[in-house]
Amino acid sequence: MPSLLRRSVAEFLGTFALTFFGAGAAVATILPGAGYGLLGIALAHALVLAVMVTAAIPISGGHFNPAVTLGLLVGRRTDAQTAAVYIVTQLAAAVLAALAIKALFPPAVVRNSTLGTPLLASAVTFGQGVVLEAIFTFFLVSVVFGTCVNAEAPRVGGFAIGLTLFFAILVGGPMTGAALNPARAFGPAIVSGNLVGHLVYWIGPIVGGLLAALLWDRVLLAPAPKEGK
């Protein structure tokens, strides 16, 4: 297994790319000529996640998401030290990606876009937002277990994981922003200073991810291998 440092660097690169290109696509919709809308934003997130997960699976597992990391911890597919280092790395990468967007995009665009920070629609309550994010992340983590953890699954790389994010954004983007990822929400929120409803993007994804992990670990998959086996 690669060293924890190597694995952390892979997690940093993947989370940075997801936040920079995902949030960047949302920010760029304000620019003239960017007529791709929600479909383009969903596609940008899906493609970068699929590509980077595929690249990082052999090194770090391609988590890029504290909810995925905590799910794999509860599902006994990683250890507490690795999970803690991954989560800190993911959050730092997301913040640096948001800082890069702030530095590289036109100031007026940055001011008007909140750096792609996911936000609740005015008609969506805090509780509804939590449940929506939990449902979306439940399926995201389910696909991680079903395609990456399951030894019997066909090797499809990050393709299925990216597709899951794609359809979640199509449905949830107008309601919650469909972050499905505390790090993806955290970086832009911290840098833009817009923390309204931010707890939705921690509570929902973590609850959804943990529920999915428990279901797959205890019911759907064979028992996790014992250490040393």
Side-chain angles (χ1 to χ4, degrees), residues 1-7 58-60:
M1 175 182 290
S3 69
L4 184 55
L5 176 60
R6 285 179 60 201
R7 286 179 277 150
I59 304 170
S60 70

Side-chain angles (χ1 to χ4, degrees), residues 93-197:
V95 169
L96 287 175
L99 286 170
I101 293 172
K102 183 177 181 180
L104 296 171
F105 279 67
V109 172
V110 169
R111 284 195 302 271
N112 294 327
S113 66
T114 66
L115 295 176
T117 303
L119 298 169
L120 294 177
S122 59
V124 177
T125 67
F126 183 92
Q128 289 171 329
V130 167
V131 174
L132 286 166
E133 286 288 316
I135 291 171
F136 300 148
T137 312
F138 176 90
F139 284 99
L140 181 72
V141 175
S142 289
V143 171
V144 170
F145 272 84
T147 62
C148 296
V149 175
N150 185 4
E152 300 176 356
R155 301 296 94 184
V156 294
F159 180 70
I161 299 170
L163 279 180
T164 307
L165 184 58
F166 178 72
F167 61 67
I169 293 176
L170 287 183
V171 174
M175 293 186 287
T176 68
L180 289 72
N181 183 336
R184 166 64 182 84
F186 179 78
I190 287 295
V191 175
S192 70
N194 192 332
L195 294 167
V196 176

